[in-house]
Amino acid sequence: MSFSASIITLFPELFPGPLGASVLGRGLADGLWSLEATHLRTFATDRHRTVDDTPSGGGAGMVLKPDILARAIDAVAPPSDPRPRILMSPRGTPLTQKRARDLALGPGAVIVCGRFEGVDQRVIDARNLEEISIGDYVLAGGEVAAMVLLEAVVRLIPGVLGGADSHADESFENGLLEYPQYTRPQSFEGVDIPAILTSGDHGKIAKWRAEQSRALTAARRPDLLARPKS
Ligand code: SAH
């Protein structure tokens, strides 16, 4: 069975959006993965199709109601569904390449996109939602965050990207940032491609790239060097 993503959102028309372009879109068309976006409002029970209410205790904005969201989650993914249930949330665990790789090896994901002030805590607890953040800033809704998560995951599904190990060397895959890349022309605005890369000596090239990776990581992201390898 291929990777299956189910999104619960107030804006299903935003999907697949950028996920429908290029190699990810081709993978979608070829059935290497699938995507279904479900409108949360479908699960509202009153005449006005209400999905949100004012925050208990006061404050600005609106909160997604737990009963409606739970109905949506249960309809999209009954308890026997093995897929992880994820809530996009700035309070979540920061998304990493490792989490993306793990998700890509699994059956898929059910992803809830928050809006307004977020969702009632009780549905997060009752449906055991894993909160994932895409960074320390606040978006207006979870849809773009879900796309970021899925884009990171889906490109790792075997067959989606052309070359089998085209991501083995990439930034974060070995705990380091990637070395600088070059391509023709040989001279660009008076600057040549580093001679080592055109020397044909693969041992020296690998060593140069490893040194560059390490220096770049030390300069820009020393926190990655201190982090245990994943
Ligand atoms: N009041 C909330 C923010 C709500 S933003 C707080 O302060 O934590 C509305 C929705 O956008 C969230 O429910 C979440 O689904 C999404 N969102 C916003 N920022 C995000 C981020 N950095 N990562 C993932 N999702 C995010």
Side-chain angles (χ1 to χ4, degrees):
M1 223 194 59
S2 63
F3 183 95
S4 137
S6 295
I7 316 284
I8 297 170
T9 169
L10 285 170
F11 299 93
E13 68 278 11
L14 295 178
F15 293 89
L19 303 173
S22 189
V23 285
L24 275 65
R26 208 170 310 133
L28 188 58
D30 292 347
L32 292 175
W33 66 290
S34 65
L35 177 69
E36 155 203 69
T38 299
H39 204 318
L40 177 60
R41 214 171 283 287
T42 317
F43 299 91
T45 46
D46 67 335
R47 215 158 48 84
H48 303 290
R49 310 259 109 204
T50 307
V51 294
D52 56 347
D53 208 335
T54 53
S56 303
M62 300 295 273
V63 176
L64 291 177
K65 290 160 63 61
D67 48 343
I68 308 303
L69 185 50
R71 274 163 50 91
I73 294 169
D74 294 345
V76 165
S80 62
D81 192 315
R83 294 177 296 169
R85 291 158 177 70
I86 294 167
L87 170 66
M88 302 317 302
S89 161
R91 301 186 321 187
T93 307
L95 176 62
T96 58
Q97 188 66 13
K98 177 176 179 349
R99 189 71 189 102
R101 225 185 300 126
D102 290 346
L103 283 167
L105 294 174
V110 177
I111 305 176
V112 176
C113 302
R115 276 276 156 180
F116 319 123
E117 288 309 311
V119 316
D120 186 301
Q121 182 63 38
R122 291 168 297 175
V123 70
I124 301 177
D125 298 337
R127 292 301 178 273
N128 201 15
L129 301 182
E130 173 189 354
E131 295 183 67
I132 296 184
S133 165
I134 65 157
D136 291 343
Y137 37 78
V138 179
L139 305 170
E143 288 75 13
V144 169
M147 289 176 198
V148 168
L149 171 66
L150 281 175
E151 183 151 333
V153 171
V154 168
R155 65 192 288 282
L156 299 174
I157 294 170
V160 169
L161 242 61
D165 52 28
S166 52
H167 32 75
D169 277 356
E170 279 179 332
S171 291
F172 310 113
E173 282 293 351
N174 56 6
L176 297 173
L177 303 180
E178 195 183 58
Y179 47 80
Q181 298 275 18
Y182 298 87
T183 188
R184 284 178 290 255
Q186 168 61 31
S187 177
F188 166 69
E189 296 186 352
V191 183
D192 283 347
I193 295 173
I196 201 146
L197 295 178
T198 49
S199 68
D201 184 333
H202 295 294
K204 277 199 182 144
I205 292 172
K207 188 162 167 283
W208 182 86
R209 285 180 164 168
E211 285 163 7
Q212 293 285 321
S213 261
R214 205 162 175 87
L216 212 61
T217 309
R220 295 186 183 175
R221 294 291 306 277
D223 58 302
L224 291 178
L225 296 174
R227 208 181 271 183
K229 282 249 163 60
S230 58

